[in-house]
Amino acid sequence: GILQALEYLLQKGYRPRRGFYIGLGHDEEVNGYAGAVNIVKVLKSRGVQLEFVLDEGLAVLDGIIKGLDGPAALIGISEKGQATVKLSVTTTPGHSSMPPRETSIGILAAAVTRLEDNPMPRLFGYGPERGTFEHLAHKFGLPLKFVMSNLWLFSPLLGRIMERKSDTNAFVRTTTAVTMFNSGVKINVIPPYAEAFVNLRIHSAQTVQEVLELIQSTVADVRVKVELVKGFDPLPVSAYDDATFGFQIIKKTVLDMFPQLTVAPGVCVGNTDSRHYGDLTKNIYRFAPNWFKPGDPQRFHGVNERISIKNYEEMVTFYFRLFQNCDITKLPEPHSNEHEL
């Protein structure tokens, strides 16, 4: 979409007033250490400082947020942190005909079960996700409008409601996903070793160290070794006020195309390689005009992941307009967000 929009602009002889860079890394899905990191190195060597960065991330949600009147475009102003934690158990091997009371697999399985039965604490309202619902409050009917407009009081209640579904639970807390479990050497041998890998997406109000301490206290078994494989804390929150050029230009481009949408800041529950650009700008945004409808979030990295032809066309148009909107030297006057309860 980005390249097709640029090709069309070049064919028209377009010359931008504001310089921009397109950074397409080849390894975003595996953290961007060879792609984005090296792109940033080159830009830093040239003394480049950026007004803002726009990456993929959040999208247009249509029918995803229950009770919301109409679709909403969420522009990611931050990302959750991430940690990969390894749990392992080492025991004495033996013959399966004379098994001990507990095996390495049994000990580790019990530890994993405790992690799944005791999720990380509910933290809704303590991070930038609070701003998302405050911006969307006027698009809810009563009584939800009243709840969303008074999150200082109702955050615990709303958090309890949101944690019931996996796609909204991700906004409420640090999520815990056991993604790999390995053990066993032979069908008749008590395994001497078992390991499991846990992937955690860390809420903005927590740190990697706090999450590790919670895992240790939940596992509560000295036979289970807990190791941090890799991880990073949640990303800083980018500005999104009326005077912030990057956020307002993205918002303007969205509303130029889809005037019926409500635009709000949001938090990416997944991760992008845009985090590597932190030395070049404080304003990093994550958004592409993909339309997500009920059932679509479950397709991420899953069965029948897809995009419609019409939506692809909209993406090309979005970048075509975004490039040109960046030529604006003065931001338009902000619209009033006031509403009565």
Side-chain angles (χ1 to χ4, degrees), residues 134 137-138 145 149 337-341:
E134 288 174 340
H138 67 289
K145 180 187 290 188
S149 300
N337 284 326
E338 293 179 5
H339 55 276
E340 296 182 4
L341 294 178

Side-chain angles (χ1 to χ4, degrees), residues 102-228:
E102 291 182 290
T103 65
S104 58
I105 292 178
I107 295 168
L108 186 57
V112 166
T113 299
R114 286 193 291 276
L115 282 180
E116 292 187 335
D117 287 345
N118 297 278
M120 293 286 166
R122 194 188 309 114
L123 293 170
F124 180 78
Y126 291 95
E129 75 280 352
R130 179 169 178 167
T132 302
F133 288 90
E134 288 174 340
H135 273 71
L136 297 176
H138 67 289
K139 298 294 286 186
F140 287 89
L142 291 171
L144 280 176
K145 180 187 290 188
F146 182 74
V147 171
M148 300 296 183
S149 300
N150 293 278
L151 290 179
W152 61 273
L153 177 62
F154 292 113
S155 283
L157 172 64
L158 188 57
R160 283 196 292 272
I161 294 171
M162 293 182 67
E163 70 182 354
R164 295 174 184 172
K165 292 177 61 180
S166 59
D167 47 358
T168 51
N169 178 58
F171 291 99
V172 169
R173 59 167 46 84
T174 294
T175 53
T176 306
V178 183
T179 53
M180 295 175 67
F181 198 115
N182 306 306
S183 188
V185 292
K186 199 179 177 193
I187 195 68
N188 63 344
V189 175
I190 302 297
Y193 180 76
E195 66 179 13
F197 290 87
V198 184
N199 187 248
L200 303 110
R201 303 302 172 109
I202 301 170
H203 188 276
S204 298
Q206 281 186 312
T207 65
V208 171
Q209 185 57 41
E210 289 169 348
V211 167
L212 278 175
E213 292 169 0
L214 282 167
I215 291 174
Q216 290 275 15
S217 63
T218 301
V219 169
D221 190 336
V222 294
R223 298 170 297 178
V224 181
K225 186 178 181 181
V226 179
E227 302 171 79
L228 176 65

Side-chain angles (χ1 to χ4, degrees), residues 7 9 13 29 32 35 37 46 62 118 156 163 165 197 201 217 232-233 236 313 322 331 337:
E7 293 247 336
L9 285 167
E29 291 290 353
V37 167
R46 298 177 182 174
D62 187 7
N118 297 278
E163 70 182 354
K165 292 177 61 180
F197 290 87
R201 303 302 172 109
S217 63
F232 53 86
D233 289 333
E313 180 184 349
L322 180 75
L331 289 172
N337 284 326

Side-chain angles (χ1 to χ4, degrees), residues 42-57:
V42 171
L43 294 178
K44 288 177 73 173
S45 72
R46 298 177 182 174
V48 171
Q49 283 292 305
L50 302 173
E51 178 71 32
F52 71 98
V53 164
L54 174 63
D55 197 4
E56 63 173 347

Side-chain angles (χ1 to χ4, degrees), residues 286-322:
R286 300 97 174 156
F287 175 80
N290 302 98
W291 283 73
F292 292 151
K293 299 177 184 292
D296 285 337
Q298 287 71 40
R299 293 189 178 95
F300 297 163
H301 294 316
V303 177
N304 201 20
E305 191 170 12
R306 66 197 186 190
I307 181 173
S308 71
I309 295 172
K310 178 184 177 185
N311 195 191
Y312 173 68
E313 180 184 349
E314 289 169 340
M315 290 187 69
V316 176
T317 303
F318 172 80
Y319 292 114
F320 176 77
R321 294 189 177 198
L322 180 75

Side-chain angles (χ1 to χ4, degrees), residues 2 34 44 71 98 110 117 159 174 235 243 245 272 286 333:
I2 294 169
K44 288 177 73 173
M98 298 174 289
D117 287 345
T174 294
L235 277 294
F245 183 85
T272 72
R286 300 97 174 156
E333 291 296 318

